[in-house]
């Protein structure tokens, strides 16, 4: 996936002509990487799920909940497998091909393979005992039977099935099961062929710019596996470590740097959390403050290039991703500045230690970290200078990170570290892409049911002022962030709010930045709040302690969201300079 865009980029520079079929191959490789990754994630028990199941008491109750969740997940996965088989059959009859005469149906085979593998692995992991696995197998068989007789649910209320899926998700079932299961139930109720869901999944997976997401994510993993964070920490500490709260500010900046490449996936907390917490403790920062700062820092940077949620929002809303990146610059720095100001306040109040500024240390730190510091410059020049497409720019960053970490710094072993980074990246991308595919199916159903049109009509009747609409939007998105991860929220909710924003004359880029800024808060809010769960796991702290520690940052970033909402020039200033 990285080599083909690089070859395309070089060929266009040399011959002013690209490589025929390269784009289509990369798009379909995205499909394969994503869904093979989803199958691997199922095998390793790493499919993204709510952590609400962990609140159940240990023992028989939790084991029963896990088996129930697995049975529902296996049933939905089996039904998705059958739906994907139907898609492949239809496509095989159509006879269409991608590049080099490869039939489309051959490429689509990864969908039934992946969903089938997920169903089987879910059954196997349902319980260490065969009794639990037998119960999960009943769910799998029920899903297959429903796929054979879809007319059983036609015209019937879906509420019992919906309740079962919601309860299973709260018990710890994968998020994609909730989204995909709800979509399938509504399709079955209306007599719509269930192949409609994998059709939408396929359409999203092969969109021209989606390949940038796994490639930028791989860049982030390569940097995280190396010692890039240590070098960046040294650079920023040498630059601003002398100011009050300097180390806290440095931690915020380093978090934003890594999150821009890894998205809202929580990789920043897992990869850098121990290093940053140790640095703060050494400078005598309070533990509660440090815990809250790092937990919130895991979502800072989502508005900076090449943040993955921005790319996905542009794909779903069908607006320029480059415009979104430009529009997110000043709001991103605002959020970063507010977090940094909280760090400065902490440094003043507690008298935390500072780093003495010396030109010698600054020069040595810059020399050591120059390759990492050049990476955002390369991304910006490649994208905004018009030298490379978004996918080509993402491939360039993979090559750059690979060369610098493996051969310049020699932090990564080609035999040991790089394969591990590749596998971890594929698992993460697979866990996200299977959610996006299921969410696309649900979104497609709502569009067909004219839900956006009804929402526009209702809003125009009851809301008459754009400022009031924006306030209501913020409250709505705050609730969405409490219940959904940022990626599925983009796919499900964006088609609903874009028409309403247009009706009120809201700039589409401004609406996108408001959306993403609000969903930054979602990583800190219960019950989903991915950053809270990851911080609790990474630092071995109770969930309640992590939640309390992150409340000040939640309030500060919430204030930033209001500023972004009601000061639209923050978004449009770079888009429409005078």
């Amino acid at each position: 996936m990285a080599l083909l865009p690089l070859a395309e980029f070089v060929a266009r520079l040399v011959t002013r002509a690209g490589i025929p079929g390269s784009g289509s191959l990369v798009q379909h490789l995205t499909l394969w990487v994503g869904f093979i990754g989803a199958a691997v994630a199922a095998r390793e028990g790493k499919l993204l799920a709510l952590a609400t199941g962990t609140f159940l008491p240990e023992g028989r109750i939790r084991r029963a909940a896990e088996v129930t969740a697995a049975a529902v997940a296996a049933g939905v996965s089996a039904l998705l497998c059958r739906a994907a088989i139907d898609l492949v059959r239809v496509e095989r009859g159509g006879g269409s091909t991608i590049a080099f005469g490869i039939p489309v149906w051959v490429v689509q085979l990864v969908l039934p393979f992946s969903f089938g593998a997920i169903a089987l692995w879910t059954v196997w992991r349902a319980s260490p005992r065969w009794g639990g696995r037998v119960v999960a197998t009943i769910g799998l068989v029920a899903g297959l039977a429903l796929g054979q007789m879809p007319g059983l649910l036609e015209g019937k209320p879906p509420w019992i099935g919906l309740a079962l899926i919601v309860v299973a998700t709260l018990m710890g079932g994968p998020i994609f099961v909730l989204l995909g299961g709800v979509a399938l139930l509504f399709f079955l109720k209306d007599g719509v062929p269930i192949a409609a869901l994998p059709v939408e999944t396929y359409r999203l997976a092969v969109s021209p710019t989606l390949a940038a997401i796994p490639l930028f994510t791989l860049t982030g993993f390569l940097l995280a596996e190396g010692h890039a964070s240590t070098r960046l920490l040294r650079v920023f500490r040498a630059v601003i470590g002398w100011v009050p709260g300097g180390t806290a500010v440095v931690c915020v900046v380093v978090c934003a740097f890594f999150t821009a490449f890894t998205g809202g996936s929580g990789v920043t907390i897992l990869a850098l959390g121990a290093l940053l917490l140790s640095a703060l403790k050494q400078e005598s920062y309070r533990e509660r403050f440090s815990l809250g700062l790092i937990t919130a820092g895991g979502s800072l940077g989502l508005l900076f290039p090449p943040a993955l949620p921005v790319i996905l929002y542009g794909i779903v809303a069908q607006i320029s991703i480059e415009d979104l990146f430009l529009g997110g610059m000043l709001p991103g720095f605002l959020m970063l500045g507010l977090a940094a100001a909280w760090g400065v306040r902490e440094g003043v109040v507690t008298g935390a230690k500072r780093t003495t500024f010396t030109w010698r240390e600054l020069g040595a730190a810059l020399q050591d970290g120059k390759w990492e510091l050049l990476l955002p410059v390369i991304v910006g020049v490649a994208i905004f200078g018009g030298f490379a497409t978004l996918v080509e720019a993402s491939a360039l960053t993979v090559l750059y990170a690979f060369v610098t970490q493996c051969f310049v710094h020699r932090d990564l072993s080609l035999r040991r570290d790089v394969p591990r980074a590749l596998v971890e990246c594929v698992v993460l991308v697979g866990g996200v892409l299977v959610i996006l595919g299921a969410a696309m199916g649900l979104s497609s159903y709502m569009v067909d049911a004219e839900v956006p049109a009804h929402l526009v009509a209702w809003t125009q009747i009851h809301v008459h002022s754009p400022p009031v609409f924006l306030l209501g939007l913020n409250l709505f998105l705050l609730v969405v962030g409490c219940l959904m991860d940022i990626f599925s929220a983009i796919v499900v909710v964006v088609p609903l709010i874009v028409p309403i924003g247009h009706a009120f004359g809201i700039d589409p880029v401004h609406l996108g930045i408001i959306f993403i800024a609000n969903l930054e808060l979602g990583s800190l809010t219960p019950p989903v709040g991915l950053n809270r769960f990851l911080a609790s796991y990474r630092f071995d702290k109770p969930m309640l302690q992590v939640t309390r520690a992150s409340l000040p940052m939640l309030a500060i970033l919430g204030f930033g969201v209001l500023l972004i909402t009601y000061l639209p020039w923050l978004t449009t200033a770079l888009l429409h300079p005078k």
Side-chain angles (χ1 to χ4, degrees):
M1 284 180 61
L3 290 175
L4 280 172
L6 286 171
E8 177 94 3
F9 175 68
V10 173
R12 196 174 62 253
L13 289 180
V14 175
T15 66
R16 298 189 179 278
I19 300 174
S22 170
S24 181
L25 284 175
V26 172
Q27 292 163 23
H28 287 83
L29 282 172
T30 305
L31 177 73
W32 273 67
V33 165
F35 279 87
I36 290 175
V40 176
R43 184 192 68 185
E44 298 183 3
K46 293 184 177 179
L47 287 170
L48 296 178
L50 301 181
T52 47
T54 60
F55 296 134
L56 295 172
E58 293 277 0
R60 186 174 299 176
I61 294 177
R62 182 179 291 189
R63 289 195 298 270
E66 290 172 349
V67 170
T68 302
V72 175
V76 172
S77 300
L79 190 54
L80 286 169
C81 177
R82 174 54 195 264
I85 291 173
D86 291 345
L87 169 64
V88 171
R89 286 175 176 172
V90 172
E91 197 62 53
R92 186 176 183 181
S96 55
T97 62
I98 62 171
F100 307 109
I102 301 173
V104 171
W105 70 268
V106 172
V107 182
Q108 290 176 341
L109 283 173
V110 73
L111 291 172
F113 165 80
S114 176
F115 286 124
I118 290 172
L120 293 174
W121 280 117
T122 300
V123 168
W124 182 256
R125 296 184 61 87
S127 172
R129 300 176 181 177
W130 284 103
R133 292 170 181 170
V134 169
V135 173
T137 302
I138 294 174
L140 186 152
V141 172
L144 291 176
L146 189 57
Q148 284 292 111
M149 299 176 287
L152 286 176
L153 297 184
E154 186 172 350
K156 295 181 174 63
W159 309 120
I160 295 178
L162 289 176
L164 181 61
I165 290 172
V166 170
V167 170
T169 304
L170 293 176
M171 289 178 175
I175 294 172
F176 89 88
V177 170
L178 171 66
L179 299 169
V182 170
L184 287 171
L185 283 176
F186 280 110
F187 284 140
L188 290 168
K189 176 185 76 70
D190 292 348
V192 177
I194 57 176
L197 194 149
V199 164
E200 295 299 322
T201 300
Y202 172 75
R203 185 169 65 85
L204 172 70
V206 299
S207 60
T209 52
L210 190 73
I213 290 181
L215 291 177
F216 278 129
T217 303
L218 178 56
T219 300
F221 270 97
L222 291 173
L223 293 174
E225 285 289 330
H227 297 151
S229 56
T230 304
R231 289 186 287 271
L232 288 172
L233 187 64
R234 182 186 180 188
V235 169
F236 294 125
R237 180 178 276 175
V239 175
I240 55 177
W242 56 273
V243 303
T247 301
V249 176
V250 168
C251 290
V252 167
V253 175
V254 172
C255 281
F257 180 95
F258 275 88
T259 302
F261 285 95
T262 58
S265 60
V267 172
T268 299
I269 294 175
L270 295 177
L272 312 183
L275 173 67
L276 299 182
L277 187 63
S278 174
L280 290 168
K281 284 183 176 180
Q282 288 176 6
E283 304 294 339
S284 303
Y285 287 88
R286 292 178 295 181
E287 182 182 57
R288 182 170 177 176
F289 164 82
S290 303
L291 190 60
L293 186 75
I294 297 173
T295 303
S299 62
L300 288 173
L302 291 185
L303 294 172
F304 294 125
L308 313 184
V310 176
I311 297 173
L312 183 61
Y313 186 97
I315 293 172
V316 175
Q318 298 182 355
I319 60 177
S320 168
I321 296 172
E322 288 79 3
D323 285 350
L324 284 169
F325 280 145
L326 282 174
M329 285 288 192
L330 294 181
F333 281 116
L334 171 67
M335 301 289 268
L336 194 63
L338 290 172
W342 182 249
V344 171
R345 175 201 173 275
E346 177 71 11
V348 172
V349 169
T350 63
K353 298 177 183 178
R354 309 186 200 180
T355 302
T356 303
F357 177 85
T358 65
W359 288 105
R360 181 177 181 179
E361 172 58 18
L362 176 60
L366 289 173
Q367 176 66 22
D368 194 30
K370 60 181 181 295
W371 297 107
E372 285 78 15
L373 293 173
L374 281 173
L375 185 55
V377 177
I378 292 172
V379 173
V381 171
I383 295 175
F384 299 115
F387 297 103
T389 66
L390 188 66
V391 174
E392 289 169 354
S394 65
L396 283 171
T397 64
V398 170
L399 176 65
Y400 185 87
F402 176 74
V403 171
T404 56
Q405 302 304 305
C406 291
F407 302 110
V408 177
H409 293 299
R410 298 183 180 180
D411 289 339
L412 300 183
S413 164
L414 290 175
R415 293 184 177 181
R416 182 180 63 256
D417 299 324
V418 172
R420 184 175 66 249
L422 286 168
V423 171
E424 290 178 356
C425 176
V426 167
V427 168
L428 174 62
V429 169
V432 171
L433 191 57
V434 73
I435 290 175
L436 298 184
M440 277 295 290
L442 181 58
S443 178
S444 173
Y445 174 82
M446 290 191 293
V447 171
D448 291 341
E450 298 183 343
V451 173
H454 292 310
L455 282 176
V456 171
W458 185 92
T459 305
Q460 288 180 321
I461 291 172
H462 294 87
V463 180
H464 306 287
S465 165
V468 175
F469 161 69
L470 289 174
L471 178 60
L473 177 65
N474 280 325
L475 294 175
F476 170 70
L477 292 178
L478 187 61
V479 174
V480 169
C482 290
L483 301 174
M484 301 177 73
D485 66 281
I486 189 169
F487 296 105
S488 54
I490 290 173
V491 176
V492 174
V493 178
V494 168
L496 303 180
I497 67 168
V498 166
I500 305 176
H502 178 74
F504 280 93
I506 307 299
D507 184 280
V509 175
H510 184 212
L511 185 70
I513 299 306
I514 292 172
F515 186 97
I516 296 170
N518 266 282
L519 268 296
E520 277 193 25
L521 302 181
S523 63
L524 301 175
T525 52
V528 177
L530 179 63
N531 283 11
R532 298 180 308 112
F533 291 110
L534 292 177
S536 175
Y537 165 77
R538 186 67 183 87
F539 304 125
D540 194 23
K541 300 292 183 183
M543 178 62 65
L544 185 59
Q545 182 179 345
V546 174
T547 301
R548 287 176 176 172
S550 59
L551 287 178
M553 286 297 297
L554 180 62
I556 291 168
L557 297 180
F559 174 69
V561 169
L562 290 177
L563 291 178
I564 292 169
T565 301
Y566 290 107
L567 297 176
W569 60 265
L570 283 170
T571 298
T572 59
L574 297 180
L575 287 173
H576 313 296
K578 295 182 179 179

